[in-house]
């Protein structure tokens, strides 16, 4: 039996609580049907998502048109936007004028998460909502047997049998956790953040389920990822093979992000543990997928753009300049290749003469994480032929949880027990 001790109940500081609220709100927004039991979670999570999209390191004034773009990208409609803006104004986190302009404070994503948690707590959430956050945190540390965590949550949150049943039904159907049935009377729970922490110990357990060749292939790919920070999906597939990569993707062993435009979609792999380099909690650092969006977009500019447009050549110098508050440019590519980051409020693109543009970084901490990931041992700046260079820029980004959900659904359709062995081996050994 695993040990579930009381200190885990107190692990949810405000930043971590805010991170799980954002996570849960995304899940709630993607399901049809009533979510009344988690309406405070949805409210706080959407408020935090909106606040993050509007905020940067310095106080700023956002025009009505820019506000509409930023909110539409986050999936917040006009009705929600108006009520959420009023909520944020009441909390003195923003101000807005009768003309529709919004004035934001200088906020980091860490402080946004704290405000998200404060909003949640002010709404007097139910014990079921509170326990759902702790459940997700526990399932991100290690796979957990349902009957064990159910007993722990029931005791600490005073859940009735009805409440407890509702919690675990909702966690599975909404997607707060992934669930695998390992026997007629037992389920095991985990989620996509499983490999963000204690990666070395957990990878050792995964290796126990694989052949020697598979383990060697994983080690080869991981060495490349630790050196380069990010690789294209097709390169990873050449090393691992389709079957093995399809096993590892759904359980969150690798983070897979999609950068798209009208002509192509490029998938990039990163190691989940790459985002723990600051020594802080990677679930907090990359709650909004902004660092992954930044890294994937930069990698796109390094490998999918020609030199005459402004191909990225010295990534470390570029990032350090941006982090210091200075713009980079002017080049033509900036006006095309970073629309994803503009939509997410990470950068501001400033047009200048002759169709050229400057790039400004609005969220310093996102740049710092990207610098850590992309410069660990130097970044590979592979050259490709002009025939492979797209004529249009990246305009959309899908984060790892989106891609993991798709691959898990496919996997479950093909073989419900495909990941049982690897999840079970993680569960054993007291990780």
């Amino acid at each position: 039996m695993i040990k579930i001790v009381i200190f885990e109940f107190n692990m949810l500081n405000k930043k971590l609580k805010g991170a799980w609220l954002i996570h849960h709100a995304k899940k709630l927004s993607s399901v049809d049907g009533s979510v009344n039991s988690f309406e405070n979670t949805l409210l706080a999570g959407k408020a935090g998502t909106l606040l993050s999209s509007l905020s940067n390191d310095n106080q700023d004034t956002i025009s009505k048109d820019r506000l509409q773009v930023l909110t539409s990208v986050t999936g917040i409609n006009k009705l929600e936007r108006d009520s959420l803006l009023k909520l944020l104004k009441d909390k003195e986190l923003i101000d807005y004028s009768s003309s529709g302009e919004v004035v934001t404070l200088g906020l980091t994503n860490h402080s946004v998460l704290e405000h998200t948690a404060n909003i949640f707590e002010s709404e007097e959430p139910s014990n079921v909502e509170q326990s759902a956050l702790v459940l997700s945190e526990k399932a991100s540390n290690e796979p957990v047997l349902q009957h064990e965590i159910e007993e722990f949550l029931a005791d600490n949150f005073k859940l009735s049998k009805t409440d407890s049943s509702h919690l675990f039904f909702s966690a599975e159907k909404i997607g707060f956790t992934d669930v695998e049935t390992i026997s007629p009377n037992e389920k095991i729970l985990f989620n996509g953040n499983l490999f963000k922490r204690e990666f070395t110990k957990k990878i050792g357990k995964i290796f126990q389920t694989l052949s020697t060749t598979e383990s060697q292939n994983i080690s080869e790919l991981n060495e490349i990822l630790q050196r380069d920070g990010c690789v294209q999906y097709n390169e990873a597939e050449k090393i691992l093979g389709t079957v093995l990569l399809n096993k590892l993707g759904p359980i969150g062993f690798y983070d897979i992000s999609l950068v798209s435009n009208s002509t192509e979609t490029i998938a990039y792999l990163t190691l989940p543990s790459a985002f723990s380099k600051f020594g802080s909690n990677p679930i907090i650092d990359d709650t909004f997928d902004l660092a992954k969006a930044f890294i994937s977009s930069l990698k796109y500019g390094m490998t999918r753009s020609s030199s005459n447009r402004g191909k990225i050549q010295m990534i470390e110098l570029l990032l350090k300049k941006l982090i210091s508050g200075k713009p980079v440019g002017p080049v033509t590519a900036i006006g095309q290749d970073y629309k994803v980051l503009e939509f997410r409020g990470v950068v501001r693109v400033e047009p200048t003469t002759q169709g050229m543009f400057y790039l400004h970084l609005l969220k310093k901490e996102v740049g710092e994480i990207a610098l850590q990931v992309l410069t660990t041992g130097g970044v590979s700046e592979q050259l490709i032929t002009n025939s492979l260079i797209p004529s249009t820029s990246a305009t959309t980004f899908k984060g790892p949880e989106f891609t993991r959900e798709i691959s898990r659904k496919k996997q479950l359709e093909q073989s419900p027990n495909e990941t049982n062995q690897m999840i079970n081996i993680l569960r054993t050994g007291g990780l």
Side-chain angles (χ1 to χ4, degrees), residues 177-372:
T177 63
D178 287 60
V179 178
E180 289 280 350
T181 300
I182 58 175
S183 74
N185 299 315
E186 189 59 273
K187 293 181 178 180
I188 196 165
L189 286 71
F190 66 101
N191 65 35
N193 292 291
L194 189 60
F195 290 94
K196 288 187 174 181
R197 295 179 286 202
E198 295 186 321
F199 182 77
T200 302
K201 295 171 75 172
K202 292 173 183 176
I203 192 175
K205 295 295 181 180
I206 287 293
F207 279 170
Q208 295 178 23
T209 73
L210 305 174
S211 68
T212 300
T213 299
E214 288 176 324
S215 297
Q216 290 173 344
N217 290 343
I218 291 176
S219 295
E220 179 184 348
L221 176 58
N222 288 357
E223 286 179 8
I224 295 172
L225 286 168
Q226 288 165 355
R227 183 192 71 218
D228 296 351
C230 181
V231 300
Q232 287 190 29
Y233 185 93
N234 58 354
E235 294 300 317
E237 195 171 31
K238 289 177 184 177
I239 296 171
L240 295 185
T242 303
V243 173
L244 180 56
L245 189 52
N246 285 345
K247 286 181 181 179
L248 298 175
I251 62 173
F253 192 87
Y254 295 111
D255 280 344
I256 303 170
S257 304
L258 303 178
V259 177
S260 305
N261 59 34
S262 59
T263 62
E264 67 174 0
T265 295
I266 305 295
Y268 294 98
L269 262 72
T270 53
L271 286 172
S273 58
F275 294 86
S276 60
K277 292 179 186 292
F278 288 145
S280 58
N281 191 318
I283 295 171
I284 293 172
D285 279 331
D286 204 39
T287 301
F288 302 98
D289 282 336
L290 296 180
K292 291 187 181 73
F294 197 15
I295 290 166
S296 297
S297 294
L298 289 171
K299 195 73 171 182
Y300 187 93
M302 291 164 58
T303 61
R304 310 296 289 179
S305 184
S306 60
S307 57
N308 62 351
R309 294 178 65 247
K311 177 183 175 70
I312 296 175
Q313 300 291 339
M314 296 176 286
I315 187 67
E316 185 171 0
L317 292 177
L318 180 145
L319 283 172
K320 286 182 176 179
K321 188 172 182 179
L322 287 172
I323 291 168
S324 71
K326 299 176 183 178
V328 298
V331 295
T332 57
I334 286 174
Q336 296 294 321
D337 291 351
Y338 303 102
K339 292 178 181 177
V340 170
L341 302 176
E342 286 187 89
F343 290 154
R344 289 173 171 254
V346 177
V347 301
R348 178 170 60 86
V349 172
E350 178 188 358
T352 182
T353 58
Q354 298 179 333
M356 305 185 92
F357 301 83
Y358 283 104
L359 185 70
H360 299 259
L361 180 64
L362 300 180
K363 296 182 185 292
K364 179 180 177 181
E365 62 186 344
V366 174
E368 289 174 336
I369 295 171
L371 178 63
Q372 287 282 338

Side-chain angles (χ1 to χ4, degrees), residues 7-26:
F7 76 85
E8 289 187 76
F9 176 76
N10 296 319
M11 277 177 59
L12 294 188
N13 58 42
K14 288 191 175 181
K15 291 178 185 177
L16 190 54
K17 182 178 287 188
W20 285 118
L21 286 166
I22 300 295
H23 175 275
H24 285 198
K26 289 179 182 177

Side-chain angles (χ1 to χ4, degrees), residues 35 53 103 136 176 185 194-195 308 326 356 367 397 413:
V35 293
S53 69
V103 178
S136 291
F176 297 156
N185 299 315
L194 189 60
F195 290 94
N308 62 351
K326 299 176 183 178
M356 305 185 92
F397 172 84
E413 289 170 2

Side-chain angles (χ1 to χ4, degrees), residues 144-146 172-173 178-190 408 412 415-421 423-424:
V144 59
L145 293 174
Q146 179 170 321
E172 179 175 356
K173 298 305 179 184
D178 287 60
V179 178
E180 289 280 350
T181 300
I182 58 175
S183 74
N185 299 315
E186 189 59 273
K187 293 181 178 180
I188 196 165
L189 286 71
F190 66 101
R408 249 189 86 68
L412 289 173
S415 174
N417 297 316
E418 185 71 34
T419 60
N420 270 359
Q421 186 180 19
I423 291 299
N424 254 322

Side-chain angles (χ1 to χ4, degrees), residues 1-2 4 135 138-139 142-154 159 161-173 177-190 423-424 427:
M1 178 179 292
I2 63 171
I4 304 179
L135 172 60
K138 179 58 190 173
E142 61 182 355
V144 59
L145 293 174
Q146 179 170 321
H147 81 271
E148 292 179 346
I149 189 66
E150 188 171 9
E151 180 181 350
F152 169 76
L153 294 174
L159 300 179
K161 287 188 176 180
T162 300
D163 286 341
S164 186
S165 296
H166 176 61
L167 168 65
F168 285 92
F169 175 83
S170 299
E172 179 175 356
K173 298 305 179 184
T177 63
D178 287 60
V179 178
E180 289 280 350
T181 300
I182 58 175
S183 74
N185 299 315
E186 189 59 273
K187 293 181 178 180
I188 196 165
L189 286 71
F190 66 101
I423 291 299
N424 254 322
R427 170 61 180 80

